[in-house]
Amino acid sequence: MRYGRTYNFSAGPAMMPEEVLEEIAAEVLNYRGSGMSVMEMSHRSQVFQQILDEAEADLRKLMGIPENYKVLFVQGGGTLQFAMVPMNLMRNGLACYLETGAWSKKALTEARKYGEVVVPASSADRNFSYIPDCSHLEIPEKADYVYLCENETIHGTSWHTLPETGTVPLVSDQSSMFLSRPCDVRRYGLIWAGVQKNVGPAGMAIVIIREDLLREDLPAFVPTYLSYKTHADSASLYNTPNCWSVYCCGKVFKYLLANGGLEAQSKRNEEKAALLYAFLDQSSFFNGTAAKEHRSLMNVPFVTPSREQDAAVVAASKAAGFDNLKGHKSVGGLRASIFNAMPKAGVTALVDFLRTYEKEHG
Ligand SMILES: *Cc1c(COP(=O)(O)O)cnc(C)c1O
C-alpha cells in the first residue's frame, strides 16, 4: 500500500480504490479547467450536469438497468430509506419483511410506523446466523411489497438466491453488496443502497425504482422531499444533491467498467472471500459465526474461544497495521469487511497475520 495507507476492514465508510482517490486528488483544486473543485461547483452548472448524467449512464451500463427503472441519487444515507420505502410503497398499508439481521429488523421496525408489517420468515431464533428457508413464503395477496436486506452487514449473511414473490414487488437493501456481483434488476421493484459501504463517500443512497411504483397520490403527511416521484421528476436535482458523493461514485462506476464490470468484480470478491473462509474453516482457534451456505462475501464475522482473546487479537491486529477489525457489539468477536475496494493483498496479509497469531497464542 502506498501513501502510508492501511488495510481498513471497516464496515463503512470503507476503502475506495486507490486509483480513484488519486484521480480525485488530481482534480480537487481545478476540475478539468473549470477553475474550481466539484465541492465548490453549482449543481445547476453544465459541468456538474455532465458529472451527474455520466454517473447515471455508467451505473445503468454496469448493472444493465432497464429503461423502465429510474435511478435516483438521494441524500439521507441508508437509514432514511427505512422510512421512504413504506411511505412511498404502502398503498394497501401492508408489507412483508424477511427478518435476517440487524438491518432488516431496523427496516421493519420503522415500517411499522406507516402500516401493518408481517414477517413470514425470520432467523432471530439463532441470532441471525443464517437465511431462513423461503421456498414456500406465505405472502398475503394485498401485500404492497416484500422487503429483504440482501447482505446483513453485521451478522455476515447474504441471500444467494432471491425468494419468489410472484407479482408482489421485491424491495432490497443492497447497501453492503451493491455492485459486488451481477444483478438482474428485473427481479426487483426497488433496489436501494447507502453508498459508503461499497462505492463512495457517505451521505447518499442510490435508489433504483420501477416506474410503475412511483406515485402521485401519496398521503399528505409525506414530505415533498421524501417522495420518490419528486426525485424522479427532477432527475435527482430537486434541490442541491450530494454533489461530492455523486462525483466520487461516478468515478468508481467508471473504474469498475474499465476493470471488467460486475462479472470480473464478482470473481475478485469470490477469490478474496475464499482465502479468508478457507483459513477460518481449518482453524481451531478462529471460527466464523455465519452458516456456511449463507455467508457473506463482503462481511466476515468470526470469534476466538473467549471475549478476552477477541480483544487481544483486535489490539494485536491494530499494532500490525490493520484497522477496524472489532466485531459489532451484537455479535462480538471480530469482523473483516472485505468490500470491492479491499485489495486481495489485504486479505492475504490478514490471513497471514491470523495464522501467525494462532501459532503463537492459539
Ligand atoms: C450501513 C447500512 C445501513 C444504514 O446506512 P446509513 O447510511 O448509516 O444510514 C442500512 N442497511 C445496511 C445493510 C447497511 O449496511
Side-chain angles (χ1 to χ4, degrees), residues 263-317:
E263 284 285 350
Q265 184 58 50
S266 159
K267 271 217 181 79
R268 291 192 287 272
N269 290 336
E270 277 168 21
E271 271 175 35
K272 286 186 286 174
L275 280 174
L276 185 48
Y277 282 125
F279 168 74
L280 293 174
D281 288 347
Q282 60 75 52
S283 170
S284 48
F285 184 72
F286 296 105
N287 277 300
T289 54
K292 222 172 181 170
E293 63 277 26
H294 304 133
R295 57 199 184 182
S296 164
L297 298 191
M298 301 276 102
N299 310 99
V300 183
F302 55 100
V303 293
T304 73
S306 75
R307 272 162 201 254
E308 292 69 30
Q309 291 178 94
D310 289 344
V313 182
V314 171
S317 73

Side-chain angles (χ1 to χ4, degrees), residues 216-268:
E216 205 96 51
D217 59 332
L218 288 179
F221 72 83
V222 177
T224 309
Y225 194 67
L226 300 191
S227 155
Y228 288 130
K229 196 158 186 312
T230 299
H231 296 273
D233 288 351
S234 56
S236 299
L237 281 172
Y238 178 73
N239 72 330
T240 319
N242 187 333
C243 302
W244 182 250
S245 189
V246 169
Y247 161 72
C248 297
C249 290
K251 292 249 184 241
V252 173
F253 302 154
K254 284 194 193 300
Y255 172 84
L256 289 171
L257 283 170
N259 285 279
L262 298 188
E263 284 285 350
Q265 184 58 50
S266 159
K267 271 217 181 79
R268 291 192 287 272

Side-chain angles (χ1 to χ4, degrees), residues 76-80 82 103 149 151 153 173 175-176 192 194 196-197:
T79 298
L80 188 59
F82 296 155
W103 290 114
C149 173
N151 184 82
T153 324
D173 171 1
S175 297
S176 50
W192 69 265
Q196 76 273 24
K197 312 292 164 75

Side-chain angles (χ1 to χ4, degrees), residues 85-86 89-100 104-105 107-109 111-112 115-122 134 136-149 159 163-166 168-173:
V85 166
L89 300 191
M90 274 188 177
R91 290 170 199 243
N92 301 322
L94 174 70
C96 292
Y97 277 69
L98 307 175
E99 187 190 35
T100 54
S104 47
K105 198 173 164 169
L108 75 89
T109 305
R112 285 203 164 113
E116 192 187 336
V117 167
V118 294
V119 180
S122 169
C134 288
H136 301 288
L137 270 190
E138 298 236 353
I139 304 168
E141 212 169 295
K142 66 173 254 217
D144 291 307
Y145 59 91
V146 175
Y147 182 104
L148 55 78
C149 173
W159 289 82
E164 279 305 330
T165 62
V168 179
L170 183 64
V171 174
S172 175
D173 171 1

